[in-house]
Amino acid sequence: MNKAAIIYFSGTGNTKYVVNIMKSYFNGINIICDLVDIEKKVIDLSQYDYIVFGGPVFVERYPEILLKYIEKNLSNYKGKCMMFSTQASDVVSSVFQHALKRLKNLNITYCDFISMPNNFYNFMFKKYTDDEEKRAIEAASKKARQMVKEFLEGKESKIEISNFRVQLAEVGYKMTYPYLRKWLMKKLSIDRDKCVECGLCEINCPTNSITISPSLKIKDTCTFCQRCLNICPKNAFLYKGKNIEQYKPNFKQEIK
């Protein structure tokens, strides 16, 4: 029986939902599928017939921790690979071009993105309404299955954008990302009357970038994944002095 592995990073749950949908599709056509959370598993990937990998888009790039995991653990993999991203925008970014340049030794035959509910609304952009969220999740589920189907059928899909767009995104990332991070993070604080110092935000940070005691500090390695904000059991984080609205999407309960 054929085997597939889906390698992923998920900050607030969007990508995790998508990979569970993909896994259910693989299993439904009798292909054994393992999920590989890059924060938890290091396994022998040479045993798999198919490799799928992906994660969220932050400023037109995958999180660096995902790219480094792929570079390290798939350096000798010769089978076909599928690459996907999750993002709030329905406009293609240069995330694939940047990744393909880094991962040029892999046989990546299929690339596509899946639009998900916006989870960055506390900082910028608009929060989805309940109806918009429902439609986005349903569309994401359908597209995730379609992508896996096309990949297994041998359809090749590599989203192309102009070299000018790629270069512009590269310049924009280098000029924007460090300053955007500092600008946003300096407005983040903690409501000490709510915080119980449980440490969940620190323990669950994928890049060990946050400490809250004796004061809130966030390192430059922060990826904007927002897990610390959304995992807080007391919702104690503040942005511009106001409580954030935690991201709690209504994903289908039957997905495991």
Side-chain angles (χ1 to χ4, degrees):
M1 183 176 289
N2 288 337
K3 297 178 65 177
I6 307 177
I7 305 166
Y8 73 98
F9 168 76
S10 186
T12 57
N14 280 348
T15 302
K16 186 175 182 179
Y17 173 76
V18 167
V19 300
N20 275 294
I21 292 290
M22 291 179 173
K23 178 179 179 178
S24 71
Y25 184 87
F26 275 115
N27 291 340
I29 57 173
N30 296 317
I31 295 178
I32 297 171
C33 183
D34 293 326
L35 298 185
V36 183
D37 182 341
I38 66 168
E39 298 174 67
K40 299 177 181 178
K41 290 184 179 180
V42 177
I43 61 177
D44 177 15
L45 294 167
S46 64
Q47 63 182 299
Y48 293 96
D49 302 285
Y50 308 104
I51 296 287
V52 176
F53 62 87
V57 176
F58 301 137
V59 196
E60 300 215 18
R61 288 190 182 183
Y62 284 128
E64 185 64 18
I65 53 173
L66 175 61
L67 289 173
K68 285 184 176 179
Y69 184 97
I70 299 299
E71 287 176 325
K72 179 179 179 181
N73 295 285
L74 284 180
S75 59
N76 296 316
Y77 186 76
K78 302 303 180 183
K80 288 184 178 181
C81 299
M82 169 179 152
M83 178 167 57
F84 75 95
S85 67
T86 54
Q87 59 186 59
S89 173
D90 59 1
V91 178
V92 65
S93 73
S94 64
V95 63
F96 299 128
Q97 280 68 28
H98 177 261
L100 286 167
K101 186 177 180 180
R102 289 272 297 267
L103 308 173
K104 56 187 176 182
N105 292 329
L106 288 179
N107 182 22
I108 301 170
T109 62
Y110 194 102
C111 307
D112 205 349
F113 69 93
I114 297 175
S115 296
M116 292 293 287
N118 173 38
N119 59 16
F120 209 62
Y121 48 80
N122 285 296
F123 302 104
M124 56 183 67
F125 311 123
K126 182 183 177 182
K127 186 179 185 296
Y128 278 32
T129 65
D130 289 345
D131 285 344
E132 288 172 334
E133 179 184 283
K134 181 180 179 181
R135 288 195 297 270
I137 291 172
E138 289 176 349
S141 176
K142 182 178 180 180
K143 185 169 184 180
R145 290 182 169 92
Q146 183 65 27
M147 286 165 57
V148 174
K149 180 177 183 291
E150 292 179 349
F151 170 62
L152 293 175
E153 288 175 347
K155 179 179 178 180
E156 294 197 3
S157 173
K158 290 188 178 179
I159 294 177
E160 299 290 343
I161 62 176
S162 68
N163 288 332
F164 176 76
R165 275 269 324 265
V166 175
Q167 293 171 2
L168 186 64
E170 186 76 13
V171 172
Y173 178 89
K174 291 179 180 179
M175 293 180 63
T176 301
Y177 183 74
Y179 302 104
L180 178 64
R181 180 181 58 236
K182 290 179 181 179
W183 180 69
L184 293 176
M185 295 303 104
K186 73 179 181 180
K187 299 180 181 181
L188 197 66
S189 60
I190 295 177
D191 185 340
R192 292 296 173 179
D193 291 332
K194 288 186 175 182
C195 178
V196 293
E197 296 193 11
C198 63
L200 285 176
C201 55
E202 296 177 340
I203 295 169
N204 287 278
C205 177
T207 55
N208 299 311
S209 297
I210 183 172
T211 55
I212 61 170
S213 184
S215 61
L216 174 63
K217 292 183 180 180
I218 300 176
K219 300 177 183 177
D220 289 346
T221 49
C222 171
T223 66
F224 286 146
C225 80
Q226 303 180 86
R227 187 184 298 166
C228 57
L229 308 183
N230 291 286
I231 204 170
C232 178
K234 299 298 182 179
N235 195 18
F237 283 92
L238 306 171
Y239 183 64
K240 295 182 178 180
K242 297 180 180 180
N243 282 110
I244 67 161
E245 185 175 353
Q246 290 181 315
Y247 182 61
K248 304 291 184 183
N250 186 24
F251 292 140
K252 293 180 180 178
Q253 296 302 308
E254 69 266 22
I255 302 303
K256 298 178 180 181

